[in-house]
Amino acid sequence: MIDAANGVKVKILDTLWVTHNVRRFRVEKPEGYQFLPGQATDITLAIPEWEKERRSFTFTCLKDWDFLEFTIKIYPDHKGVTNQLGQLKTGDFIIIHDAWGAIHYKGPGVFIAGGAGITPFIAILRQLEKEGKLKGNTLLFSNRTSRDIILKDEFEKMLGDHFINILTDEPGAAQKMIDRDYLKEHFHNMDLFFYICGPDPMVLKLTEDLKAIGVKKDNIIIEEF
């Protein structure tokens, strides 16, 4: 049972840079700890001056793994929590709290992610792959450049041609933006589920675009606070 106010301290088992500014953390899993693919938890740093600074991060592991995993974009220029996380190493501690979140898999569809917004979809897609249920799902992943793509090789192996990269700031990129025209041209089945996660303006704009082309509100899955 997690202390709702104080959380539980867990040790970092290993850490690895997966892109130039995204770092994977694998940490101890408290006995009996439960979450669903797509959910997140609040993390605080086990450092006295930082213990009141909570930030939410998504689990990127599967629920039956014997450790917890987070894949986190580090912002060193902000001098905030992620900057501190970027300095932690194996053997250091963080504090986690209860799992929460509303992005859950409801059926085959289109996953649309912007940058670090991919993280809820990592565990969901890994779980679908494990269960042999990836068929009928597509991932649209928007990033500034190719060097920003998180877990590119893994998604290519999982999804093949159904993994589509949209690069907004790369010379020569064929497609620069996921917008109403793109969605209307490429997706004709309005009964699919559309899962969206990314910066708030992107989520709001795509939600309106999908409604405008005939997607029902109940088929648009976003994180709601």
Side-chain angles (χ1 to χ4, degrees):
M1 190 75 177
I2 301 291
D3 183 320
N6 300 312
V8 61
K9 187 182 291 188
V10 293
K11 183 188 294 186
I12 296 173
L13 303 174
D14 72 63
T15 180
L16 174 73
W17 290 97
V18 296
T19 74
H20 65 102
N21 62 357
V22 175
R23 198 173 183 191
R24 183 197 74 196
F25 296 87
R26 290 179 172 173
V27 306
E28 295 174 321
K29 184 178 183 179
E31 185 176 355
Y33 193 87
Q34 298 291 323
F35 69 93
L36 296 173
Q39 286 192 310
T41 187
D42 290 342
I43 288 178
T44 50
L45 302 173
I47 304 171
E49 61 268 30
W50 289 92
E51 286 185 341
K52 293 184 179 180
E53 296 288 337
R54 287 196 186 196
R55 297 293 184 274
S56 300
F57 298 104
T58 310
F59 302 101
T60 54
C61 51
L62 298 188
K63 58 186 179 181
D64 59 353
W65 290 5
D66 59 2
F67 54 84
L68 300 176
E69 180 185 278
F70 303 93
T71 304
I72 298 173
K73 186 171 182 178
I74 305 299
Y75 296 89
D77 293 343
H78 293 187
K79 306 304 179 186
V81 171
T82 67
N83 177 55
Q84 292 296 316
L85 280 167
Q87 299 177 42
L88 297 181
K89 58 187 183 300
T90 299
D92 288 337
F93 290 85
I94 60 173
I95 299 165
I96 65 169
H97 298 77
D98 286 323
W100 59 270
I103 294 185
H104 305 308
Y105 185 70
K106 295 189 175 183
V110 182
F111 292 83
I112 307 175
I118 190 65
T119 54
F121 302 153
I122 294 173
I124 291 173
L125 293 170
R126 283 173 169 173
Q127 186 68 39
L128 291 174
E129 181 185 41
K130 180 181 178 181
E131 296 173 358
K133 296 179 179 179
L134 273 176
K135 186 175 180 180
N137 290 289
T138 297
L139 172 60
L140 301 182
F141 193 6
S142 177
N143 287 280
R144 291 184 64 247
T145 70
S146 55
R147 71 193 293 257
D148 299 310
I149 302 171
I150 300 168
L151 301 182
K152 181 176 184 288
D153 292 345
E154 182 174 352
F155 288 132
E156 286 178 342
K157 183 178 178 181
M158 276 187 189
L159 294 161
D161 292 340
H162 291 275
F163 171 43
I164 302 167
N165 286 298
I166 309 295
L167 302 176
T168 62
D169 196 27
E170 179 137 322
Q175 175 67 30
K176 293 286 188 179
M177 184 179 296
I178 305 169
D179 56 16
R180 185 180 306 185
D181 291 339
Y182 180 87
L183 294 167
K184 189 174 182 179
E185 178 183 353
H186 289 86
F187 301 101
H188 305 116
N189 181 0
M190 297 299 102
D191 291 326
L192 291 171
F193 289 96
F194 288 82
Y195 306 85
I196 314 171
C197 192
D200 288 345
M202 171 188 170
V203 173
L204 292 171
K205 178 67 166 59
L206 288 175
T207 297
E208 294 307 311
D209 287 343
L210 288 166
K211 290 178 182 177
I213 63 173
V215 179
K216 293 177 291 188
K217 179 181 178 182
D218 289 347
N219 281 34
I220 303 172
I221 315 302
I222 63 175
E223 189 66 78
E224 297 181 3
F225 298 92

